[in-house]
Amino acid sequence: MENKIALVTGITGQDGSYLAELLLEKGYEVHGMVRRASTFNTGRLEHLYQDQHESRGNLKLHYGDLSDGTCLSNLVFSIEPDEIYNLGAQSHVRVSFDQPLYTVDVGALGTLRLLEAIRQIRKHKDVRLYQASSSEMYGKVHEVPQSETTPFHPRSPYACAKVYSFYQTQNYREAYNIFACNGILFNHESPRRGETFVTRKITRAATRIREGLQDKLYLGNLDAKRDWGYAKDYVEAMWLMLQQNEPDDYVIATGETHSVRDFLELVFKEVGLPYQEYVETDPRYLRPSEVDLLLGDATKTKEKLGWVPQTTFEELTRIMVHADWELARSEHAVSLRKAG
C-alpha cells in the first residue's frame, strides 16, 4: 500500500509542526501550505528537514493562502491529498478584536474555500478533512464542563469565525457526504507556542527575569481559568479522528481547569522567584469581552478514539520553563560576549 498524502495548512505554527512530525513518523508524504511573506517563518520545521533523510515520509512546502480560493483549489488538485488538516488561522484571540475582518476572512471564509475545493475534487478522489475548532467557541459558557453538545456563545471575532467554520464543516459533511471532522481543542501549549500567548509569555519572562534580562512582566486577567494540555499530545487526537470509519466531532481536553495565576505560580516557583514581585496587570491586555472559565469533557474522545492526555499541567509547565530557560541562558551568554 502506498504511503498516505497529507496537506497541512498552518504547518509553520505550533500544532502544524508537531502534526508534521507525527505524520512523517507514520510514513506520510506531508505537504504544508505557508503564506508568502517578507521573512521566512519555518523555524519550527527546520529540524524536520535536517532529519528528513532518516524519515519514512517526506516534507514539502507550498506557497498558499486561505484567503485565495483559486490558489487553494489548485493546491488540492495538484497534491491530491488523502487527508487535509486545516490548522491555518489568525489564532490570537486578543488580536482578533484589533483585526476582525482579516481574522474572519482567514478563519471562517478560508475554511469554506477549502471545503469547496474538497467538494470539487471528490468527484474523483475522497479526501478526509480535519477542521481545527476551538474551546473559545463556548465563550460565555452555558454549562460546566463543556462537551460536544454544549451550546456555543462566542465572545470574540476569532471565536465567531471558528463557530462559522464548525457549522460549515458539519454542513458539507451532511450535504455532500464529505468525511469531515471538527476537533474542539481546549488550550494546548508547548515550547513552540507563540511568544504573545499568555503561557509562553509567562515562561519566557520568568526565565529572562531569572537571568537578569528582563525586569517586569505585564499581563491582563490573572483569574481567567483554562483547560491546558500539551500540544504534542493533542495532534495525535487530530490524526485519530481521520482514521475512524465515520466522521464525527470531538472535544480534546484534560478535564482540569487552572487559572492564569496558577500557571504563574508554578512557573516562577520553578525558577525560584516569587511572581508577585515581578508581575503587574496592564489593561491593554484585557479583552473587551472576557471568557472566564473553560473546562472540557473529553469522555466521547476517550471512548471512541481511545485518546487520553499523557502530560499533566505540572509537567507541561516544567517542559516549557526548561526549554525557555535554556533559551534565556543562551541570550544571557550572547549579551555577556557583546558586553565584553
Side-chain angles (χ1 to χ4, degrees), residues 135 145-146 185-189 225-230 234 251-259 293-298 309 313 316:
S135 59
Q146 297 88 51
L185 270 63
F186 280 64
N187 291 63
H188 46 291
E189 318 298 317
K225 293 183 177 180
R226 295 291 184 270
D227 185 325
W228 273 305
Y230 186 24
Y234 283 33
V251 162
I252 310 300
T254 68
E256 295 181 9
T257 189
H258 301 274
S259 68
L293 168 65
L294 293 174
L295 174 62
D297 177 1
F313 179 66
L316 172 63

Side-chain angles (χ1 to χ4, degrees), residues 11-54:
I11 196 169
T12 59
Q14 168 189 254
D15 293 7
S17 65
Y18 282 121
L19 179 62
E21 281 180 5
L22 178 73
L23 295 175
L24 289 170
E25 287 170 4
K26 294 182 179 296
Y28 278 66
E29 179 181 308
V30 179
H31 295 258
M33 191 181 80
V34 297
R35 288 182 296 119
R36 191 180 293 274
S38 57
T39 57
F40 291 105
N41 184 30
T42 56
R44 295 183 180 96
L45 303 172
E46 285 177 359
H47 67 289
L48 296 179
Y49 279 112
Q50 293 167 1
D51 298 340
Q52 192 163 255
H53 64 283
E54 301 172 0

Side-chain angles (χ1 to χ4, degrees), residues 244-264:
Q244 304 307 303
N245 293 327
E246 299 293 334
D248 208 341
D249 307 318
Y250 299 90
V251 162
I252 310 300
T254 68
E256 295 181 9
T257 189
H258 301 274
S259 68
V260 174
R261 197 183 305 277
D262 293 337
F263 193 88
L264 261 177

